[in-house]
């Protein structure tokens, strides 16, 4: 049976067995619905595990909401505001720590000032926070116990973030394949977001999000701009008719080709061609 703790309990750890990383204090708190916001700026790292309810952390004007089984680590010397969800106030454990290698360890886990939370819930980490709090009475051994629990939580984070990295790597490989296909078929009139999504067995919506995330521009904008670049080159270096140029770069509708060309070059294709001729005289 799990030990029942009071609404607020914590203890300091005064012994240090290594300067690389060491626990500072351990605690557990249950918040009431009307609990006020907490404003703080701590000189050490704060590792939290939410056991129940919801709350949020505000850093630099940005707010992130946390719920059951979620883990986050706040960096030192950072103004922080803790907000309690008034409908479902949170309850959490913490292990605060510091050390010469703390920043390096967290960076290897993918935890930074901006990305200070673990990508998915970690219910398996709960037992390590409970063990750390139970070690309160062992004034000679709690440093070792909590240090071990701290590393165990890091292990849980590493496993969770490794899975995320694998997933991200798969997305990168998929995008590289899609981009290579687009590059090979850039001037095909049949090229479309729908046809590419079908070819790579993803939904059009997912394809659109994946494309914009990688290039910071929509598929349509990218294709149109690349086609206009090629069209500009053809107008500048050949005597092809404007209509032929449009067809060669993938536009089946001459009017639409003219509209897109003017958007990027500020002149219609015909106007652009005349301007070049005047310059060459």
């Amino acid at each position: 049976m799990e030990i029942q703790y009071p609404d607020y309990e914590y203890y300091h750890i005064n012994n240090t067995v290594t300067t690389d990383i060491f626990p500072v204090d351990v605690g557990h708190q249950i918040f009431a619905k009307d609990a006020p916001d907490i404003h703080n700026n701590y000189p050490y790292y704060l590792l939290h595990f939410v056991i129940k309810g919801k709350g949020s952390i505000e850093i630099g004007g940005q707010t992130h909401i946390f719920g059951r089984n979620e883990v986050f680590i706040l960096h030192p010397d950072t103004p922080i505001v803790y907000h309690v969800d008034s409908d479902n106030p949170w309850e959490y454990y913490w292990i605060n720590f510091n050390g010469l290698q703390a920043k390096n360890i967290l960076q290897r886990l993918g935890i930074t000032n901006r990305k200070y939370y673990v990508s998915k819930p970690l219910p398996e980490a709960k037992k390590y926070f409970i063990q750390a709090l139970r070690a309160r009475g062992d004034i000679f051994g709690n440093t070792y116990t909590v240090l071990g629990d701290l590393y165990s939580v890091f292990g849980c984070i590493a496993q969770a973030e490794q899975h995320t990295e694998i997933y991200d790597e798969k997305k990168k490989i998929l995008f590289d394949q899609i981009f290579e296909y687009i590059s090979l078929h850039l001037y095909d009139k049949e090229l479309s977001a729908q046809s590419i999504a079908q070819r790579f067995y993803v939904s059009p919506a997912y394809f659109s999000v994946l494309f914009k995330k990688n290039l910071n521009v929509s598929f349509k904008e990218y294709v149109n701009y690349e086609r206009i670049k090629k069209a500009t080159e053809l107008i500048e270096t050949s005597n092809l008719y404007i209509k032929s140029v449009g067809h060669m770069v993938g536009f089946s509708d001459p009017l639409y080709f003219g509209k897109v060309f003017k958007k990027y070059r500020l002149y219609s294709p015909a106007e652009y061609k005349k301007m070049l001729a005047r310059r060459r005289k």
Side-chain angles (χ1 to χ4, degrees):
M1 183 176 177
E2 189 174 317
I3 294 177
Q4 296 298 313
Y5 296 108
D7 289 352
Y8 188 84
E9 180 180 8
Y10 76 98
Y11 68 96
H12 295 289
I13 297 174
N14 298 315
N15 298 321
T16 301
V17 295
T18 173
T19 56
D20 285 346
I21 193 163
F22 54 87
V24 174
D25 54 50
V26 179
H28 167 250
Q29 186 164 1
I30 302 172
F31 287 82
K33 291 184 177 182
D34 56 351
D37 292 344
I38 299 174
H39 295 255
N40 237 313
N41 187 341
Y42 297 92
Y44 41 72
Y45 294 89
L46 301 97
L47 168 64
H48 292 68
F49 176 85
V50 182
I51 185 171
K52 291 180 182 177
K54 289 182 180 180
S56 62
I57 295 296
E58 182 182 342
I59 298 176
Q62 299 294 316
T63 301
H64 194 98
I65 299 172
F66 295 96
R68 185 177 177 224
N69 291 331
E70 291 195 288
V71 171
F72 58 95
I73 302 177
L74 306 174
H75 281 59
D77 303 317
T78 303
I80 302 162
V81 183
Y82 290 73
H83 301 287
V84 175
D85 186 296
S86 58
D87 295 323
N88 188 16
W90 58 0
E91 171 186 349
Y92 59 64
Y93 291 94
W94 74 83
I95 300 175
N96 298 333
F97 63 94
N98 218 333
L100 299 175
Q101 294 301 317
K103 184 176 181 179
N104 291 335
I105 290 172
L106 293 180
Q107 285 180 336
R108 295 185 67 178
L109 293 173
I111 302 296
T112 64
N113 275 318
R114 293 188 175 183
K115 202 266 186 184
Y116 56 90
Y117 47 87
V118 182
S119 301
K120 66 177 187 178
L122 294 180
E124 63 273 22
K126 174 182 175 181
K127 61 184 177 182
Y128 301 116
F129 288 88
I130 293 175
Q131 286 175 179
L133 195 57
R134 283 176 172 164
R136 177 176 186 170
D138 184 4
I139 59 174
F140 298 106
N142 58 21
T143 303
Y144 298 96
T145 299
V146 177
L147 187 59
D149 291 325
L150 186 59
Y151 274 108
S152 294
V153 175
F154 289 162
C156 294
I157 295 173
Q159 190 172 26
E161 295 304 322
Q162 180 185 36
H163 293 160
T164 301
E165 289 173 6
I166 292 172
Y167 180 61
D168 287 343
E169 183 63 24
K170 287 181 179 178
K171 288 194 291 186
K172 183 180 183 303
I173 292 171
L174 173 62
F175 178 76
D176 289 344
Q177 293 172 342
I178 289 174
F179 189 73
E180 181 180 8
Y181 178 83
I182 292 171
S183 299
L184 291 173
H185 299 273
L186 185 60
Y187 309 121
D188 293 357
K189 296 179 182 61
E190 296 77 17
L191 187 71
S192 66
Q194 181 75 30
S195 65
I196 296 170
Q198 289 178 348
R199 182 177 183 85
F200 288 91
Y201 304 101
V202 297
S203 71
Y206 179 80
F207 166 72
S208 297
V209 171
L210 182 67
F211 193 94
K212 184 145 192 184
K213 181 177 181 181
N214 280 271
L215 294 186
N216 199 32
V217 66
S218 72
F219 168 74
K220 183 178 180 180
E221 290 171 330
Y222 172 79
V223 170
N224 279 346
Y225 182 62
E226 291 299 315
R227 286 177 172 178
I228 295 305
K229 282 168 60 179
K230 184 63 177 178
T232 305
E233 178 187 330
L234 290 173
I235 291 173
E236 291 175 345
T237 60
S238 74
N239 292 318
L240 292 168
Y241 290 112
I242 298 299
K243 184 176 180 180
S244 298
V245 171
H247 277 284
M248 289 181 69
V249 299
F251 292 96
S252 56
D253 183 349
L255 293 177
Y256 183 63
F257 168 56
K259 180 180 179 181
V260 176
F261 191 96
K262 190 168 186 177
K263 174 183 177 181
Y264 291 108
R265 295 293 178 251
L266 304 181
Y267 296 93
S268 71
E271 290 170 340
Y272 189 77
K273 192 170 185 177
K274 288 179 182 178
M275 182 183 67
L276 289 174
R278 288 195 298 269
R279 287 179 178 174
R280 288 167 181 165
K281 287 182 180 180

